[in-house]
Amino acid sequence: MPTKKLIAPFYERLALVLIGFMALGYLIIMGKDLLDPMIFGFIFAILLLPVCNFLENKLRLPRSMASLVSILLLVGVVGGILYLVGSQISNMANDWPMLKKQVTQSIRDLQEWIQHAFHVNAAKQMAYVDDTAKKLMESGTDVLGTTFGAISSIMLFYVFIMIFTFFILLYRRLLIRFIVWVFRDENEHVVMDIVENIQSILRQYILGLLLEMVIVAGVAITVFWMIGIKYAALLGIIVGLFNIIPYIGIFTALLLSTVITFATGSISNTVAVAVSVIGIHAVDANFLLPTIVGSKVRLNALISFIGIILGEMIWGLSGMFLSIPVIAIFKIIFDRIETLKPWGYLLGGDYEYKKPAAKTMKTE
């Protein structure tokens, strides 16, 4: 007589899932110092894999040398962007006497507006500013020490990312074989399908973000130049760079661009820049983002927003960057495991899912 398969009640399965999420969250929080740079290294390794394969197969470089050269190329590109931003900032430093005069005039105009709008005279305003400045000076030593500590931690964090990227590229064949071995040979086609899709989607997502950043920066520079903003290139680059931060980046770019414009130009230019940034973001969110990036990672907006908030709560700014790629990885895994398909559907959207054909990953 065949035995019936016992199925646990729904509340028991739900409790196990919730306990699992809590345990996973605890481990993620406790392992931040290790997992944070390692995940960034994993993403950079996926991005650099075609370059590394080209150097190995076409130029016949050893795997270790190809991995090192790929990382040096990445560092060179990032360094070029930083040099471009730094050159624009140095131009502002050269114009410091004129900027000081413009800032003083802008502050006077702001004081007059506050006096007429809120009936607070200039003496009371300056008293409040002096009191605030005195408090900042008293805590200046602590702020300076914290700043230097933060900069050294960031530099060390980037070094760890490059180290992880190098080793993941160097030992990628070993890692793939380990994963296949852990999940047994009969599941090899599923594992390889998951690995291949994670590579493809994350690479397309990152390249899509970079392309979107370049387009937004170019449009912003053009618009600011047409308005007549002096530091149009710097502000455009700022808008483009912060645009890659989901949801929060637009507010940061808007704040920085309006503050810099207010300090170096007129109030009318400041309003024009603010309106332009909001307009560029609206076009980007409704047209560029769905076309360039949205087609790569099919995640619904609610899950994306929740993921960004949780990422910021757990890992801060880096968690915001990693939230979308990590959720996309989970969705790829859920969609290919029968018992987890409902969770994959939840992370995606209300569309008909079609299972892609299995592919074979190239790790050579």
Side-chain angles (χ1 to χ4, degrees):
M1 182 177 180
T3 58
K4 294 183 178 180
K5 186 178 180 180
L6 296 178
I7 300 177
F10 173 75
Y11 63 86
E12 182 177 334
R13 286 180 284 141
L14 180 61
L16 291 175
V17 170
L18 294 177
I19 292 173
F21 277 130
M22 292 174 61
L24 179 63
Y26 177 77
L27 293 176
I28 290 174
I29 294 173
M30 296 301 296
K32 176 185 184 301
D33 294 336
L34 174 65
L35 295 177
D36 198 358
M38 187 170 67
I39 295 177
F40 270 110
F42 170 73
I43 293 176
F44 285 142
I46 289 178
L47 183 63
L48 295 176
L49 184 58
V51 179
C52 194
N53 285 332
F54 174 81
L55 295 174
E56 290 182 38
N57 299 329
K58 301 297 182 180
L59 302 183
R60 302 298 180 182
L61 294 180
R63 177 160 295 181
S64 58
M65 183 59 66
S67 302
L68 181 60
V69 172
S70 301
I71 293 175
L72 292 178
L73 290 175
L74 175 64
V75 172
V77 172
V78 175
I81 297 175
L82 294 179
Y83 174 78
L84 183 60
V85 175
S87 63
Q88 294 294 319
I89 294 177
S90 65
N91 291 336
M92 292 184 63
N94 294 333
D95 295 337
W96 173 246
M98 184 185 66
L99 290 176
K100 184 177 179 181
K101 181 179 178 181
Q102 290 179 336
V103 169
T104 302
Q105 184 60 42
S106 299
I107 291 176
R108 289 176 181 173
D109 294 340
L110 182 61
Q111 286 179 342
E112 293 179 1
W113 179 80
I114 292 176
Q115 184 173 354
H116 289 294
F118 300 100
H119 305 289
V120 179
N121 58 39
K124 291 183 179 180
Q125 295 178 36
M126 292 305 299
Y128 176 76
V129 172
D130 291 340
D131 183 60
T132 304
K134 187 181 297 184
K135 292 180 180 178
L136 290 176
M137 291 298 294
E138 291 174 355
S139 60
T141 304
D142 296 335
V143 172
L144 190 62
T146 303
T147 302
F148 279 113
I151 293 175
S152 61
S153 298
I154 290 174
M155 296 302 296
L156 187 62
F157 177 73
Y158 290 149
V159 171
F160 279 141
I161 289 177
M162 295 299 105
I163 293 174
F164 275 118
T165 304
F166 173 77
F167 282 120
I168 292 173
L169 286 173
L170 181 62
Y171 294 111
R172 60 185 184 273
R173 181 186 297 175
L174 181 146
L175 295 174
I176 293 298
R177 289 175 177 174
F178 166 76
I179 294 173
V180 173
W181 195 358
V182 166
F183 290 98
R184 296 181 298 182
D185 292 339
E186 57 266 26
N187 297 319
E188 180 178 358
H189 67 286
V190 178
V191 174
M192 297 304 292
D193 183 37
I194 291 174
V195 171
E196 175 68 18
N197 278 275
I198 287 175
Q199 278 194 90
S200 176
I201 289 179
L202 287 187
R203 189 180 299 123
Q204 293 175 16
Y205 172 72
I206 296 170
L207 293 176
L209 277 182
L210 295 177
L211 177 60
E212 181 195 11
M213 180 186 71
V214 171
I215 293 175
V216 169
V219 172
I221 291 173
T222 303
V223 172
F224 294 159
W225 177 78
M226 293 174 62
I227 294 174
I229 305 302
K230 183 173 182 180
Y231 299 103
L234 175 62
L235 296 182
I237 293 173
I238 288 175
V239 173
L241 289 175
F242 280 94
N243 188 69
I244 65 176
I245 305 177
Y247 300 104
I248 310 298
I250 176 60
F251 298 105
T252 307
L254 179 62
L255 176 63
L256 291 176
S257 58
T258 51
V259 168
I260 293 175
T261 305
F262 179 76
T264 59
S266 62
I267 296 180
S268 60
N269 284 343
T270 304
V271 174
V273 166
V275 173
S276 300
V277 172
I278 295 174
I280 292 171
H281 175 71
V283 173
D284 171 59
N286 290 282
F287 297 99
L288 288 179
L289 186 63
T291 303
I292 300 176
V293 180
S295 59
K296 317 302 180 187
V297 182
R298 281 188 154 182
L299 301 175
N300 67 64
L302 176 61
I303 294 298
S304 300
F305 187 68
I306 294 175
I308 291 169
I309 294 176
L310 291 177
E312 196 280 333
M313 292 172 60
I314 295 174
W315 284 0
L317 185 60
S318 62
M320 296 174 63
F321 277 106
L322 294 174
S323 58
I324 302 299
V326 169
I327 295 174
I329 291 174
F330 277 111
K331 185 181 184 328
I332 293 171
I333 297 173
F334 292 164
D335 284 342
R336 284 152 182 82
I337 299 177
E338 192 64 35
T339 56
L340 297 177
K341 282 187 176 181
W343 295 96
Y345 179 79
L346 176 64
L347 297 180
D350 193 11
Y351 59 91
E352 187 68 23
Y353 176 77
K354 183 178 180 181
K355 183 177 179 180
K359 299 179 181 178
T360 303
M361 176 184 174
K362 296 180 180 180
T363 59
E364 295 297 324

